[in-house]
Amino acid sequence: MSDCLFCKIVAGEIPATVVHENATTLAFRDINPHAPVHVLVIPKEHVEDSAALAEAGLANDVLLAAAAVAAKEGISESGYRVTFNTGEDAGRTVFHAHAHVLGGTGLSLRLG
Ligand code: 5GP
Ligand code: ZN
């Protein structure tokens, strides 16, 4: 999608701090981190939300990439949260499916 922020990051048109990449996914640091580790994992293909991600057969790839990010960031043992926001009430702002990987500190029950 030509006007999608995350598609532009995949295309290299907007810079991002990439922490993990493979054939189907890209992971980069959130520009406004909510935790010491706050990485966004996206499918390179544009799909709208977590349901579309599953329908496209890419949910497995994103979750495996989230685990790889956690390992690289050294938080596999200490723990981390993987969050998908959907819709206005969840505070969704970017409509290219993405998993938030949050960790590096004790996380409160407040999500996201
Ligand atoms: P959402 O609220 O849609 O689940 O999450 C979108 C996330 O994208 C937010 O946490 C926001 O900080 C992050 N974000 C928005 N614009 C950019 C950007 O240009 N670069 C990066 N790295 N993150 C962004
Ligand atoms: Zn997109």
Side-chain angles (χ1 to χ4, degrees):
M1 267 179 85
S2 57
D3 64 346
C4 169
L5 176 66
F6 287 175
C7 282
K8 287 180 179 168
I9 288 177
V10 171
E13 293 166 13
I14 291 176
T17 305
V18 172
V19 298
H20 183 73
E21 181 173 11
N22 62 20
T24 56
T25 68
L26 185 70
F28 51 91
R29 296 197 191 285
D30 195 292
I31 205 166
N32 181 26
H34 289 210
V37 175
H38 188 171
V39 173
L40 302 174
V41 182
I42 68 171
K44 288 183 172 177
E45 177 185 323
H46 181 94
V47 295
E48 177 110 354
D49 57 20
S50 56
L53 186 71
E55 283 166 10
L58 291 167
N60 203 55
D61 290 13
V62 167
L63 290 175
L64 284 171
V69 166
K72 279 188 175 175
E73 296 290 312
I75 57 170
S76 297
E77 298 300 319
S78 52
Y80 59 98
R81 179 175 291 155
V82 180
T83 305
F84 291 90
N85 292 324
T86 305
E88 196 178 331
D89 281 356
R92 183 91 187 276
T93 59
V94 179
F95 294 89
H96 179 133
H98 52 278
H100 295 256
V101 179
L102 295 148
T105 187
L107 298 164
S108 71
L109 283 176
R110 183 177 168 278
L111 300 176

